[in-house]
Each structure stands twice: as C-alpha cells, then as structure tokens.
C-alpha cells in the first residue's frame, strides 16, 4: 500500500521517525483489511529492522520473529524470504548483543543457502557473511571470522556491480581485527 511505499521512501532518506509512523499505519491498514500477503510481511520486517537500528531491540525481535513466522507460512521453509527472515533476526540479535541466539539464527539461515540463492542475491548473502564474521569476532573466533569475510568477498565476485560494498566489507573487517 501507499503507506508502505512512503515508509520505504522515508527509510531511504534516513528519516527513521517518519518511516516508522508510515510503516505502523500500513500494518494497521493491512490488518483492518485482513490482508496478510507479501507486502504485509515485508512491512513488518522493515519495521522490525528499523526498530533494530533505533536500538529498540525488544520491539525489533518481536516484529522480526512475527515476519519470519509469516514468511515460513507463506513461502515455505526453503525460500529466499525465510533465509532473509532468519538473517534479519540474527542481525538484530547481534546488535542487541544476544550472541548465542544470533548464532542460532545465522546457522538456520546458512542451512538454507544454495548456489542459486547465492547467485541471485549476492549483495544480501555477502552482507549475511560479513555479519556472521562480526559475530565470530564477538565470540572470540577470529579464524572463523576470516573464513566468513572470504566467503563474503567470494559471493561479491559473482556480481561486478558491488565494488563499493566490497570496499566497505574489507574496511569493516580491518576494524574488527
């Protein structure tokens, strides 16, 4: 719906407060109309991620788990959407310093990765591996972190258009050490 689109636009502009208001309105309208499809799920997920970035972790985890459950129901367990759901939830848990739970959901996401998914979504998968590397550093496992950074960069080689992301990942890795 239009409120979802406005929320997404505000997110891209960095206006998180307005984005949150529009995303909340969109969810309310979807629920009033009993519309629980992909747009509804994506809106819940976007709001959950926004709460994570605003360090409202309890709300974030609640919304991201809700979105994940809907994604499993709508798309089936072995889908890109469920991979993203596990990954986004793990990212929020990592940001909230719930490392064991983050590790659990990163492992669930990893179990869904296949070669077709990696090729079609190299940016998402690359960021997934970079975030797993961050978790490995937090868990005092620099060897594992290095493996994940290498995987992140390998995935990006599949797509020539992500040179900036490649640079950011290398920079982040240098800061992790």
């Amino acid at each position: 719906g239009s409120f979802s689109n406005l929320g997404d636009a505000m997110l891209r502009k960095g206006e998180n407060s307005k984005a949150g208001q529009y995303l909340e309105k969109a969810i309310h309208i979807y629920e009033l109309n009993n519309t629980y499809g992909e747009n509804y799920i994506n809106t819940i997920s976007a709001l959950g991620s926004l709460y994570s970035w605003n360090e409202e972790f309890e709300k974030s985890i609640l919304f991201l788990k809700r979105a994940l459950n809907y994604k499993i129901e709508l798309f089936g367990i072995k889908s890109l959407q469920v991979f993203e759901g596990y990954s986004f939830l793990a990212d929020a848990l990592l940001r909230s310093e719930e490392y064991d739970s983050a590790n659990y959901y990163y492992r669930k996401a990893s179990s869904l990765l296949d070669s077709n998914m990696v090729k079609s979504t190299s940016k998402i998968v690359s960021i997934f591996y970079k975030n797993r590397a961050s978790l490995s550093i937090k868990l005092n496992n620099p060897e594992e972190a290095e493996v994940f950074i290498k995987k992140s960069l390998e995935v990006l080689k599949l797509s020539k258009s992500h040179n900036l992301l490649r640079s950011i990942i290398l920079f982040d890795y240098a800061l992790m050490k």
Side-chain angles (χ1 to χ4, degrees):
S2 58
F3 282 115
S4 291
N5 295 337
L6 286 168
D8 289 340
M10 292 297 115
L11 281 174
R12 284 192 294 279
K13 289 176 71 175
E15 296 185 30
N16 292 353
S17 178
K18 285 183 183 176
Q21 291 170 4
Y22 286 126
L23 293 172
E24 287 170 359
K25 284 181 184 177
I27 290 168
H28 181 70
I29 290 169
Y30 287 130
E31 290 171 349
L32 281 175
N33 294 322
N34 288 323
T35 309
Y36 298 99
E38 189 170 0
N39 290 336
Y40 172 73
I41 296 167
N42 290 338
T43 304
I44 290 172
S45 187
L47 188 57
S49 293
L50 175 63
Y51 285 140
S52 175
W53 285 107
N54 289 341
E55 297 187 357
E56 297 178 65
F57 298 119
E58 202 170 300
K59 282 185 184 178
S60 171
I61 291 164
L62 181 74
F63 274 80
L64 290 170
K65 282 184 176 178
R66 193 165 135 203
L68 175 61
N69 289 331
Y70 279 120
K71 288 177 180 188
I72 291 170
E73 193 176 302
L74 187 64
F75 301 107
I77 192 74
K78 291 189 179 266
S79 65
L80 171 62
Q81 293 86 351
V82 172
F83 165 78
E84 288 177 338
Y86 284 136
S87 184
F88 294 162
L89 179 55
D91 293 346
L93 290 161
L94 173 62
R95 287 182 47 78
S96 70
E97 299 181 355
E98 295 182 43
Y99 301 134
D100 289 339
S101 294
N103 198 29
Y104 172 80
Y105 285 105
Y106 280 134
R107 288 180 190 277
K108 297 278 278 185
S110 286
S111 73
L112 299 178
L113 276 178
D114 63 35
S115 58
N116 291 330
M117 198 181 291
V118 171
K119 286 177 188 165
S120 66
T121 60
S122 61
K123 182 179 175 185
I124 292 168
V125 174
S126 180
I127 291 169
F128 164 77
Y129 281 130
K130 181 196 77 76
N131 290 344
R132 284 207 68 187
S134 295
L135 176 63
S136 296
I137 292 294
K138 298 288 186 191
L139 296 175
N140 200 24
N141 192 340
E143 296 83 14
E144 185 180 72
E146 193 165 332
V147 168
F148 287 129
I149 288 296
K150 286 179 180 174
K151 283 185 178 186
S152 177
L153 295 171
E154 284 172 23
V155 168
L156 280 180
K157 285 181 187 174
L158 299 172
S159 171
K160 303 292 184 217
S161 64
H162 296 305
N163 288 330
L164 176 60
L165 183 57
R166 191 175 294 116
S167 299
I168 291 169
I169 288 169
L170 288 170
F171 180 74
D172 280 356
Y173 181 59
L175 292 178
M176 285 180 210
K177 287 185 163 185

